[in-house]
Amino acid sequence: MEALKDGLTGKQLAERMGHTDVLECLSRMAKNKATKNKKKDEPALRALCEAAKTGDLGAIRRALEAGTDPNALMAVETADGEEFETTALVLAATYGQLEAAALLLDRGASPSKPTSTGYTPLMNAAGNGQAAMVGLLVERGADLTATNPGGATAFHFACAANQPG
């Protein structure tokens, strides 16, 4: 079969040939796997995110040593009842937990991974006047040009929130 010689995956072959039933089946399988993995890891991830928010370095270390992904997204709810997904680093940045953020970054957290709504740790830190956090994230390679869905960068957030630092 030529597709095998070309190195195509089964999904790529189905896409090329327009086999939508196969693609729908593969999509369902991927979603089911992701849901199972998410539910299995949810308590550990919730503990990591809560520890990042409060600055509990011991709990962060325990969660990471247990294999919790520092870049995993966890579902949270806003005060308005809207749900979105965030990372432990976004929470640490939002709440000014500098040591927690440094530990997460040391253990592989991406300084630029956005929430499901497109907000990066740098945007949240800048908008909340966390100047030291902004410095840490920039030092660790945060993307200064990242934009949220509305086109705003961390600089825009700082300006809009009157945060000159």
Side-chain angles (χ1 to χ4, degrees):
M1 176 177 268
E2 286 300 312
L4 295 177
K5 290 179 190 173
D6 292 342
L8 296 177
T9 65
K11 180 181 177 193
Q12 290 168 329
L13 181 60
E15 287 170 341
R16 181 180 281 181
M17 299 184 80
H19 296 308
T20 57
D21 290 343
V22 171
L23 292 170
E24 287 175 20
C25 180
L26 290 171
S27 177
R28 278 192 308 275
M29 289 170 60
K31 284 180 186 174
N32 287 341
K33 182 178 179 183
T35 299
K36 284 179 188 175
N37 288 340
K38 202 178 241 187
K39 286 182 181 177
K40 178 182 79 172
D41 297 337
E42 191 171 307
L45 181 56
R46 190 160 297 284
L48 175 64
C49 287
E50 186 59 33
K53 183 177 173 181
T54 62
D56 185 342
L57 301 179
I60 292 170
R61 283 188 191 94
R62 287 189 297 278
L64 295 173
E65 287 166 6
T68 305
D69 179 1
N71 291 304
L73 289 166
M74 183 189 80
V76 293
E77 201 171 283
T78 66
D80 299 338
E82 293 185 39
E83 192 172 290
F84 70 101
E85 293 181 319
T86 190
T87 66
L89 183 57
V90 169
L91 291 170
T94 301
Y95 290 94
Q97 300 296 342
L98 195 60
E99 290 181 48
L103 177 57
L104 288 164
L105 290 162
D106 288 345
R107 300 289 183 94
S110 168
S112 298
K113 176 149 185 175
T115 65
S116 62
T117 54
Y119 294 81
T120 66
L122 186 60
M123 290 173 191
N124 283 18
N128 286 304
Q130 305 292 343
M133 183 70 69
V134 168
L136 174 68
L137 292 167
V138 169
E139 177 183 297
R140 298 293 188 96
D143 182 359
L144 299 174
T145 64
T147 58
N148 73 352
T153 65
F155 178 71
H156 292 110
F157 280 89
C159 291
N162 194 25
Q163 298 296 334

